[in-house]
Amino acid sequence: MAGKILKNARIFSGEKIIDNGYIEIKEGIIADWGEGSPPYSDSSWDLEGLSVMPGIVDCHTHLLEFGALGAQKCRGAAQKMGGYANLTKALQAGITTLGEHFLGHPVLKQNLDEYKEIINNSPINIRLCLGWCIIGTDPLTFLSSHEPGGIIEMEDISDTEIGWMADNSQFPGESIFVNATVANLPPEAVPNGGRELLGFLEIKQAVERFKNKNKKLGAHVEGESSIRNFIAAGGKVLHHGHGITQVLMEEMRKKEVDWVITPHGGTSSPPTTPEEIALALKIGLKPALASDSYLPVHPEAFYLISQNLRGKEIGPGEFLHLIYNLSQELLQRGVEKEEILRMLTVYPARIMGIEKETGSIKAGKKADLIMAQGFWGVEIDDPEDINMVIKDGGPVIDRF
Ligand SMILES: [Zn+2]
């Protein structure tokens, strides 16, 4: 017996766009899909040409920790509620998988068990990365997932703690900060933002500690010399990477280092430009586009947002709007629509190591889908244009 069938859909499968096709869903999994009419007689749902694609995979977010206080202003016992509010926003925007971070907030205290509880109770697919963080204040501020809710000393992070982080990290997010972060603070509050804090040897040590646990290391990195050190030390996923050069991109391809691009900011350096993204694709890199939610847009990326969002921290819904504007720039530079969509689905799923279960429409993968008036971020720019979000075969957001 056939499963639930969606027919007469315009489909982006991860590989290609087809104008008219069908998808069969059985027990939360994509059982079959193809072009034309479904080869089954069961009653199917006629989508009348709506666009269907895999749910978005945002592989760099801070929704449960920094975003709980930042975007939702929730504190203390309300932290969890703030996190849930942010997760709801993500789902409403068509994001079905998150690469979320637990780095240790100076005020918020949620521990690993509480994160796991949220993750297990949420319909969104969340992978957690644990790490420690250095904020570019003067003096520097050190934070760590092993002691959330306070400020630590650098010496507090021993082999044991790093081993624990590696053990519990489920994808290579920004576990370490090669450069001090500006952390959404105004420039005058973070005079040390961007400063190189970990050199080649320190990065290599962290790489080895993760390797011992069979994990790849990802890091927050900016600037040419830090990026070069990170690649040379065996780092595997470069987050942000603002200030990259063509030579370094070629080096990344050779050494199979992945890149999570935040085109709107996240470091003290000017963010990655559409020209650089087009170049990276041409060189053969398969980067991901990520929101780093919640994040204020760097002034040099104001071209990506409307006037009213300047200076505001933007989250999942605004990220859709921002990607739409970026897409128009990329399309003008000859990047294919399918390739832009892959940077939001297939590539981040691969970077997170979950490409076998999600990120594209293929028999055997999770039925995590978006039905909308057009394809996410290349044809639509507003979450309201998403009619339905399907997670594990069932609707979780319904605007019909
Ligand atoms: Zn981040």
mmCIF file of all heavy atoms in Angstrom, residues 55-78:
data_model
loop_
_atom_site.group_PDB
_atom_site.id
_atom_site.type_symbol
_atom_site.label_atom_id
_atom_site.label_comp_id
_atom_site.label_asym_id
_atom_site.label_seq_id
_atom_site.Cartn_x
_atom_site.Cartn_y
_atom_site.Cartn_z
ATOM 1 N N GLY A 55 13.608 20.751 4.024
ATOM 2 C CA GLY A 55 13.659 21.781 5.057
ATOM 3 C C GLY A 55 15.064 22.366 5.131
ATOM 4 O O GLY A 55 16.050 21.691 4.806
ATOM 5 N N ILE A 56 15.152 23.628 5.552
ATOM 6 C CA ILE A 56 16.452 24.303 5.624
ATOM 7 C C ILE A 56 17.285 23.742 6.784
ATOM 8 O O ILE A 56 16.767 23.458 7.861
ATOM 9 C CB ILE A 56 16.242 25.828 5.818
ATOM 10 C CG1 ILE A 56 15.442 26.415 4.646
ATOM 11 C CG2 ILE A 56 17.570 26.558 6.012
ATOM 12 C CD1 ILE A 56 16.072 26.248 3.282
ATOM 13 N N VAL A 57 18.573 23.598 6.521
ATOM 14 C CA VAL A 57 19.520 23.151 7.549
ATOM 15 C C VAL A 57 20.396 24.356 7.892
ATOM 16 O O VAL A 57 21.201 24.798 7.085
ATOM 17 C CB VAL A 57 20.397 21.985 7.017
ATOM 18 C CG1 VAL A 57 21.384 21.533 8.089
ATOM 19 C CG2 VAL A 57 19.521 20.823 6.538
ATOM 20 N N ASP A 58 20.168 24.919 9.071
ATOM 21 C CA ASP A 58 20.969 26.073 9.505
ATOM 22 C C ASP A 58 22.016 25.552 10.485
ATOM 23 O O ASP A 58 21.703 25.225 11.639
ATOM 24 C CB ASP A 58 20.041 27.106 10.176
ATOM 25 C CG ASP A 58 20.770 28.396 10.530
ATOM 26 O OD1 ASP A 58 22.014 28.442 10.400
ATOM 27 O OD2 ASP A 58 20.094 29.367 10.957
ATOM 28 N N CYS A 59 23.251 25.463 10.023
ATOM 29 C CA CYS A 59 24.261 24.739 10.815
ATOM 30 C C CYS A 59 25.096 25.634 11.734
ATOM 31 O O CYS A 59 26.166 25.215 12.184
ATOM 32 C CB CYS A 59 25.150 23.912 9.904
ATOM 33 S SG CYS A 59 26.166 24.894 8.810
ATOM 34 N N HIS A 60 24.606 26.833 12.038
ATOM 35 C CA HIS A 60 25.316 27.673 13.017
ATOM 36 C C HIS A 60 24.309 28.607 13.683
ATOM 37 O O HIS A 60 23.956 29.647 13.131
ATOM 38 C CB HIS A 60 26.427 28.475 12.323
ATOM 39 C CG HIS A 60 27.289 29.260 13.271
ATOM 40 N ND1 HIS A 60 28.652 29.366 13.127
ATOM 41 C CD2 HIS A 60 26.974 29.981 14.387
ATOM 42 C CE1 HIS A 60 29.145 30.118 14.103
ATOM 43 N NE2 HIS A 60 28.140 30.511 14.881
ATOM 44 N N THR A 61 23.837 28.217 14.868
ATOM 45 C CA THR A 61 22.874 29.072 15.597
ATOM 46 C C THR A 61 23.185 29.094 17.096
ATOM 47 O O THR A 61 23.913 28.240 17.615
ATOM 48 C CB THR A 61 21.423 28.567 15.434
ATOM 49 O OG1 THR A 61 21.322 27.246 15.983
ATOM 50 C CG2 THR A 61 20.987 28.554 13.987
ATOM 51 N N HIS A 62 22.607 30.091 17.764
ATOM 52 C CA HIS A 62 22.733 30.246 19.224
ATOM 53 C C HIS A 62 21.341 30.544 19.792
ATOM 54 O O HIS A 62 21.142 31.532 20.479
ATOM 55 C CB HIS A 62 23.689 31.392 19.560
ATOM 56 C CG HIS A 62 25.055 31.243 18.971
ATOM 57 N ND1 HIS A 62 26.099 30.672 19.656
ATOM 58 C CD2 HIS A 62 25.557 31.574 17.759
ATOM 59 C CE1 HIS A 62 27.193 30.669 18.890
ATOM 60 N NE2 HIS A 62 26.884 31.213 17.736
ATOM 61 N N LEU A 63 20.378 29.722 19.467
ATOM 62 C CA LEU A 63 18.983 30.015 19.810
ATOM 63 C C LEU A 63 18.627 29.677 21.251
ATOM 64 O O LEU A 63 17.794 30.330 21.866
ATOM 65 C CB LEU A 63 18.050 29.247 18.868
ATOM 66 C CG LEU A 63 18.172 29.605 17.382
ATOM 67 C CD1 LEU A 63 17.251 28.718 16.547
ATOM 68 C CD2 LEU A 63 17.838 31.069 17.144
ATOM 69 N N LEU A 64 19.256 28.641 21.802
ATOM 70 C CA LEU A 64 18.858 28.173 23.130
ATOM 71 C C LEU A 64 19.638 28.860 24.250
ATOM 72 O O LEU A 64 19.258 28.791 25.406
ATOM 73 C CB LEU A 64 19.066 26.657 23.233
ATOM 74 C CG LEU A 64 18.259 25.819 22.235
ATOM 75 C CD1 LEU A 64 18.635 24.347 22.347
ATOM 76 C CD2 LEU A 64 16.769 26.000 22.461
ATOM 77 N N GLU A 65 20.749 29.494 23.895
ATOM 78 C CA GLU A 65 21.589 30.088 24.925
ATOM 79 C C GLU A 65 21.602 31.610 24.765
ATOM 80 O O GLU A 65 20.783 32.306 25.338
ATOM 81 C CB GLU A 65 22.995 29.497 24.825
ATOM 82 C CG GLU A 65 23.899 29.832 25.986
ATOM 83 C CD GLU A 65 25.235 29.102 25.884
ATOM 84 O OE1 GLU A 65 25.757 28.962 24.771
ATOM 85 O OE2 GLU A 65 25.758 28.681 26.934
ATOM 86 N N PHE A 66 22.513 32.145 23.940
ATOM 87 C CA PHE A 66 22.613 33.601 23.791
ATOM 88 C C PHE A 66 21.311 34.212 23.251
ATOM 89 O O PHE A 66 20.917 35.302 23.650
ATOM 90 C CB PHE A 66 23.809 33.970 22.918
ATOM 91 C CG PHE A 66 25.116 33.806 23.640
ATOM 92 C CD1 PHE A 66 25.716 32.562 23.752
ATOM 93 C CD2 PHE A 66 25.714 34.889 24.265
ATOM 94 C CE1 PHE A 66 26.898 32.399 24.463
ATOM 95 C CE2 PHE A 66 26.903 34.736 24.969
ATOM 96 C CZ PHE A 66 27.498 33.487 25.069
ATOM 97 N N GLY A 67 20.635 33.493 22.351
ATOM 98 C CA GLY A 67 19.380 34.000 21.773
ATOM 99 C C GLY A 67 18.226 34.027 22.762
ATOM 100 O O GLY A 67 17.234 34.723 22.545
ATOM 101 N N ALA A 68 18.320 33.259 23.842
ATOM 102 C CA ALA A 68 17.231 33.255 24.824
ATOM 103 C C ALA A 68 17.185 34.580 25.570
ATOM 104 O O ALA A 68 16.126 35.171 25.765
ATOM 105 C CB ALA A 68 17.414 32.099 25.806
ATOM 106 N N LEU A 69 18.363 35.078 25.935
ATOM 107 C CA LEU A 69 18.414 36.391 26.582
ATOM 108 C C LEU A 69 18.416 37.494 25.522
ATOM 109 O O LEU A 69 17.692 38.465 25.613
ATOM 110 C CB LEU A 69 19.674 36.495 27.463
ATOM 111 C CG LEU A 69 19.897 37.821 28.209
ATOM 112 C CD1 LEU A 69 18.689 38.210 29.032
ATOM 113 C CD2 LEU A 69 21.111 37.722 29.122
ATOM 114 N N GLY A 70 19.211 37.307 24.464
ATOM 115 C CA GLY A 70 19.338 38.330 23.422
ATOM 116 C C GLY A 70 18.031 38.669 22.750
ATOM 117 O O GLY A 70 17.517 39.778 22.880
ATOM 118 N N ALA A 71 17.445 37.712 22.039
ATOM 119 C CA ALA A 71 16.239 38.006 21.260
ATOM 120 C C ALA A 71 14.990 38.024 22.128
ATOM 121 O O ALA A 71 14.116 38.866 21.957
ATOM 122 C CB ALA A 71 16.082 36.973 20.148
ATOM 123 N N GLN A 72 14.908 37.100 23.064
ATOM 124 C CA GLN A 72 13.656 36.956 23.829
ATOM 125 C C GLN A 72 13.692 37.655 25.177
ATOM 126 O O GLN A 72 12.674 37.733 25.859
ATOM 127 C CB GLN A 72 13.338 35.469 24.028
ATOM 128 C CG GLN A 72 13.170 34.693 22.730
ATOM 129 C CD GLN A 72 12.040 35.219 21.865
ATOM 130 O OE1 GLN A 72 11.121 35.862 22.355
ATOM 131 N NE2 GLN A 72 12.113 34.954 20.577
ATOM 132 N N LYS A 73 14.852 38.139 25.579
ATOM 133 C CA LYS A 73 15.001 38.834 26.866
ATOM 134 C C LYS A 73 14.646 37.939 28.057
ATOM 135 O O LYS A 73 14.283 38.426 29.128
ATOM 136 C CB LYS A 73 14.160 40.131 26.917
ATOM 137 C CG LYS A 73 14.305 41.031 25.694
ATOM 138 C CD LYS A 73 15.734 41.518 25.529
ATOM 139 C CE LYS A 73 15.922 42.286 24.219
ATOM 140 N NZ LYS A 73 17.295 42.210 23.726
ATOM 141 N N CYS A 74 14.687 36.627 27.859
ATOM 142 C CA CYS A 74 14.362 35.715 28.949
ATOM 143 C C CYS A 74 15.610 35.460 29.787
ATOM 144 O O CYS A 74 16.714 35.346 29.272
ATOM 145 C CB CYS A 74 13.853 34.387 28.389
ATOM 146 S SG CYS A 74 12.237 34.538 27.638
ATOM 147 N N ARG A 75 15.409 35.351 31.072
ATOM 148 C CA ARG A 75 16.505 35.159 32.022
ATOM 149 C C ARG A 75 16.187 34.044 32.989
ATOM 150 O O ARG A 75 15.012 33.680 33.145
ATOM 151 C CB ARG A 75 16.641 36.429 32.865
ATOM 152 C CG ARG A 75 17.864 37.214 32.551
ATOM 153 C CD ARG A 75 18.064 38.267 33.619
ATOM 154 N NE ARG A 75 19.178 39.091 33.202
ATOM 155 C CZ ARG A 75 20.274 39.257 33.902
ATOM 156 N NH1 ARG A 75 20.397 38.712 35.092
ATOM 157 N NH2 ARG A 75 21.256 39.996 33.456
ATOM 158 N N GLY A 76 17.185 33.551 33.650
ATOM 159 C CA GLY A 76 16.975 32.605 34.749
ATOM 160 C C GLY A 76 16.047 31.472 34.365
ATOM 161 O O GLY A 76 16.238 30.802 33.359
ATOM 162 N N ALA A 77 15.006 31.301 35.201
ATOM 163 C CA ALA A 77 14.092 30.180 34.997
ATOM 164 C C ALA A 77 13.350 30.262 33.667
ATOM 165 O O ALA A 77 12.749 29.286 33.224
ATOM 166 C CB ALA A 77 13.083 30.137 36.148
ATOM 167 N N ALA A 78 13.363 31.418 33.017
ATOM 168 C CA ALA A 78 12.650 31.560 31.734
ATOM 169 C C ALA A 78 13.529 31.239 30.527
ATOM 170 O O ALA A 78 13.075 31.316 29.391
ATOM 171 C CB ALA A 78 12.080 32.965 31.602
#
